[in-house]
Amino acid sequence: RCQSTSTDEKRNKSRNVLDNASNLLTNFLSGGSIGSMPVAEGAVSDLFGKPLFFSLYDWFIEHGSVYKLAFGPKAFVVISDPIVARYILRENAFSYDKGVLADILEPIMGKGLIPADLDTWKQRRRVIAPGFHTLYLEAMVKMFANCSERSISKLENLLEAKNLQGGHEIELDLEAEFSNLALDIIGLGVFNYDFGSVTKESPVIKAVYGTLFEAEHRSTFYIPYWKFPLARWLVPRQRKFANDLKIINDCLDNLIKNAKETRQETDVEKLQQRDYSNLKDASLLRFLVDMRGVDVDDRQLRDDLMTMLIAGHETTAAVLTWAVFLLAQHPDKMKKAQAEIDAVVSQDGITLESLKKLEYVRLIISESLRLYPQPPLLIRRSLKSDRLPGGYKGNKEGYEIPAGTDLFISVYNLHRSPYFWDNPNEFEPERFLVQKDNNDIEGWAGFDPSRTAGSLYPNETVSDFAFLPFGGGPRRCVGDQFALMESTIALAMLLQKFDVELKGSPDSVELVTGATIHTKSGLFCKLKKRSHTH
Ligand code: HEM
């Protein structure tokens, strides 16, 4: 007992030292050129032991929707306001780049769309975005269903084996299953490569996970030691990282070589009208290589593919993970979804037509993205001095910021803002059906479900930037429809066959963040076969 008291004292003492150091630093930095902005007096200890975005939320409620956060030798402006977010992401988008994020991702993604400088981005976005055209997405629906079927069969086999031993449910980590599924899907959709990770392990699969792990480490480690010239050879994890990258790059280089050897150059319009039902290779790589008049070097193509592999894998797995986490705590909503699935999905499985009718399941995906946005923060750096508009809560006149200011747009705060959502922390997929007017919020158009403009899912246009699961403006996600359809299909196929419960209490599921919000040690669930299914 004595010992534990003295340990506590020591811990408190060191916490105080850290707090004082942090407060000194904060005060010192608060006199800077963005001086009129409220400053979060956060302690350094706030940054450890829990994800940063939790603290950013508390400070948002305390300081308003635009404030300055100082930690270490750096200061960040934290934005939790749709009008300011709209300004940075859409209205004045080209005055900002990806700042810290590009520094972290460049060694992995090179000049891929996410970290790319503006010139490269302009060229590649023009070529890549048309690749996600209607017929491609329709062809993907079939692939999503086939891959999901592979996952479901695996679970059914596990359950059957359990039945033989007299059991009637299985326990397993669904996050890991979703991660494998999303990897298989992104491999097939983007470069027609079957990782087959639902059923096996391979060096390439291990390398992909190793790379993701390193990307996450880098995004939470504040000193970029990997930039030191010898780090790659001296630090074991950096040696492993270099090796993992080489394995993936070799694999991608090979796929690019094959695609180029079988190139059939065609106009974009013709490529977009191909008969996808007869295509052996419907992948985006095929599209990019076959496009007439675009002679792109192999290195750039590889960067593009790597970017989409990383951007489209963990994000989608995370949406499915949190959708199940939320549904398992709301069995009534799970039943409602299952009733819709039973009514809409025929024996032949999910088609584009049934997807259009799965309204409730789609809203579950959107609501999961609202509560657990991936990534929870969008990162920007101002390229020139600018004047941000005033926030909804706090200063109305706005703030001058100098060139080089680092900004976090907290999508997490926006999505849980008590000023824009009723019961912001509750899981209520139905909320997206209700119009919310903007009587008292100057500059915000309100939430209007009728503004979906052909999209099956709510988006930043409908909500005027209060809901931005895929960002907004020119750097908006290119894979949004791919990801939404993929996750709706995978979730519907899981719920069609199984009832899902959490193995432990919801509180025992700890969150961690890198680029996405995921669990610390898996989402362990109990799966039972549903008694009334097709
Ligand atoms: C960009 C979210 C799936 C490819 C983004 C951004 C967000 C996002 C928020 C904007 C980042 C910023 O402004 O800084 C998501 C979520 C996904 C998902 C939540 C899954 C649920 C995908 C998929 C792909 C993809 C499946 C590819 C097949 C990209 C690319 C960009 C991007 C290439 C960069 C676009 C640009 O800068 O022009 N994503 N994404 N994403 N995403 Fe996604």
Side-chain angles (χ1 to χ4, degrees):
R1 216 193 160 129
C2 271
Q3 222 176 12
S4 94
T5 313
S6 92
T7 319
D8 282 346
E9 269 170 14
K10 270 190 208 148
R11 206 177 287 137
N12 284 340
K13 228 176 181 174
S14 61
R15 196 190 147 106
N16 286 341
V17 171
L18 277 176
D19 285 0
N20 289 340
S22 151
N23 289 341
L24 272 176
L25 200 61
T26 310
N27 291 336
F28 168 67
L29 286 163
S30 65
S33 49
I34 23 182
S36 61
M37 214 175 264
V39 178
E41 299 281 349
V44 170
S45 49
D46 283 325
L47 300 178
F48 300 100
K50 61 175 173 176
L52 174 63
F53 64 85
F54 282 155
S55 304
L56 297 187
Y57 185 85
D58 296 341
W59 293 323
F60 154 47
I61 299 301
E62 192 179 336
H63 298 290
S65 55
V66 180
Y67 65 85
K68 189 162 86 173
L69 166 70
F71 70 92
K74 283 217 64 76
F76 289 86
V77 174
V78 181
I79 289 150
S80 319
D81 188 291
I83 298 145
V84 186
R86 190 181 65 201
Y87 176 79
I88 295 168
L89 295 177
R90 195 171 69 191
E91 283 150 24
N92 202 16
F94 294 120
S95 297
Y96 295 85
D97 71 5
K98 297 282 176 96
V100 190
L101 186 74
D103 298 344
I104 295 168
L105 293 179
E106 199 270 340
I108 302 170
M109 299 181 179
K111 285 177 175 252
L113 279 187
I114 293 184
D117 59 90
L118 207 58
D119 284 343
T120 312
W121 173 82
K122 271 191 184 142
Q123 285 175 24
R124 297 308 293 159
R125 174 91 189 191
R126 219 166 3 100
V127 178
I128 291 171
F132 289 91
H133 57 89
T134 313
L135 289 185
Y136 167 77
L137 290 170
E138 284 178 19
M140 290 300 107
V141 167
K142 202 156 182 227
M143 184 269 283
F144 298 155
N146 290 342
C147 285
S148 303
E149 184 58 46
R150 204 153 67 175
S151 291
I152 302 291
S153 299
K154 175 181 162 186
L155 301 180
E156 284 181 325
N157 290 342
L158 288 172
L159 196 56
E160 248 168 57
K162 196 78 187 196
N163 284 343
L164 291 176
Q165 297 163 10
H168 64 288
E169 61 181 31
I170 47 170
E171 290 181 359
L172 83 173
D173 173 10
L174 270 186
E175 187 175 46
E177 297 304 323
F178 290 144
S179 193
N180 290 336
L181 171 62
L183 180 60
D184 287 359
I185 287 181
I186 203 77
L188 285 166
V190 176
F191 34 84
N192 196 32
Y193 177 81
D194 191 357
F195 284 102
S197 63
V198 164
T199 47
K200 64 172 199 268
E201 276 218 333
S202 76
V204 187
I205 296 168
K206 280 192 188 150
V208 171
Y209 282 106
T211 307
L212 282 175
F213 186 68
E214 179 61 21
E216 169 151 323
H217 168 71
R218 290 181 177 198
S219 61
T220 46
F221 204 89
Y222 302 108
I223 306 158
Y225 66 86
W226 51 87
K227 284 193 171 168
F228 300 138
L230 292 178
R232 199 181 144 174
W233 287 278
L234 293 181
V235 184
R237 66 176 299 147
Q238 294 313 317
R239 269 208 309 276
K240 180 180 177 306
F241 173 60
N243 195 36
D244 283 344
L245 266 189
K246 185 170 176 335
I247 293 175
I248 307 174
N249 284 340
D250 287 350
C251 174
L252 293 179
D253 285 344
N254 224 355
L255 293 165
I256 292 168
K257 186 165 155 276
N258 288 343
K260 283 201 161 170
E261 278 168 8
T262 50
R263 181 177 193 195
Q264 289 183 314
E265 224 183 313
T266 316
D267 293 336
V268 181
E269 295 74 29
K270 291 218 175 87
L271 281 175
Q272 290 183 332
Q273 288 156 17
R274 283 179 301 180
D275 176 7
Y276 271 84
S277 60
N278 277 325
L279 272 186
K280 266 210 186 123
D281 175 1
S283 73
L284 198 68
L285 172 62
R286 186 78 269 163
F287 182 95
L288 294 175
V289 166
D290 287 351
M291 194 184 291
R292 190 185 301 282
V294 187
D295 267 320
V296 54
D297 67 74
D298 293 0
R299 179 63 206 258
Q300 180 64 53
L301 257 183
R302 193 177 82 191
D303 288 348
D304 292 334
L305 300 185
M306 179 70 105
T307 301
M308 282 185 272
L309 170 65
I310 306 275
H313 170 214
E314 233 197 5
T315 42
T316 315
V319 180
L320 286 165
T321 301
W322 296 115
V324 165
F325 176 72
L326 292 161
L327 280 172
Q329 292 169 73
H330 295 87
D332 53 325
K333 297 195 196 294
M334 189 179 301
K335 284 211 172 68
K336 188 169 166 186
Q338 285 168 328
E340 180 182 79
I341 296 161
D342 291 347
V344 162
V345 180
S346 74
Q347 277 296 1
D348 307 334
I350 295 198
T351 58
L352 187 64
E353 284 318 301
S354 46
L355 186 69
K356 286 183 186 157
K357 292 184 195 146
L358 285 171
E359 183 184 54
Y360 194 61
V361 183
R362 293 201 309 268
L363 293 182
I364 289 172
I365 295 295
S366 293
E367 180 70 343
S368 308
L369 275 166
R370 186 184 70 81
L371 287 167
Y372 297 95
Q374 315 293 347
L377 302 174
L378 298 180
I379 298 174
R380 293 292 187 274
R381 182 179 289 152
S382 57
L383 294 169
K384 38 189 151 173
S385 60
D386 198 5
R387 185 174 184 85
L388 300 179
Y392 170 60
K393 277 286 162 192
N395 167 333
K396 294 275 185 290
E397 277 82 58
Y399 300 100
E400 299 288 342
I401 54 164
T405 303
D406 284 307
L407 304 113
F408 288 157
I409 297 174
S410 173
V411 183
Y412 182 86
N413 289 358
L414 273 161
H415 284 188
R416 293 186 182 232
S417 170
Y419 312 118
F420 294 87
W421 303 95
D422 299 327
N423 308 323
N425 295 318
E426 296 303 313
F427 176 62
E428 289 171 3
E430 298 79 359
R431 70 172 70 244
F432 288 110
L433 300 170
V434 182
Q435 183 156 350
K436 200 166 169 358
D437 58 34
N438 64 341
N439 291 343
D440 64 333
I441 305 173
E442 204 188 317
W444 186 59
F447 184 94
D448 178 358
S450 68
R451 290 200 294 152
T452 38
S455 166
L456 289 171
Y457 300 82
N459 55 34
E460 78 283 7
T461 314
V462 175
S463 65
D464 199 14
F465 280 72
F467 178 61
L468 54 162
F470 294 97
R475 304 297 295 255
R476 188 181 194 287
C477 182
V478 275
D480 63 332
Q481 297 306 310
F482 183 102
L484 287 166
M485 288 170 152
E486 167 187 0
S487 27
T488 306
I489 289 173
L491 183 64
M493 288 179 68
L494 178 81
L495 296 180
Q496 186 183 30
K497 294 286 165 69
F498 299 103
D499 285 320
V500 187
E501 277 174 43
L502 295 181
K503 189 181 163 204
S505 76
D507 291 341
S508 66
V509 179
E510 276 184 69
L511 308 194
V512 278
T513 40
T516 59
I517 312 175
H518 53 96
T519 74
K520 192 169 179 187
S521 33
L523 184 74
F524 283 88
C525 295
K526 295 187 209 169
L527 265 66
K528 273 192 212 131
K529 191 118 184 104
R530 281 183 67 211
S531 40
H532 305 292
T533 56
H534 281 298

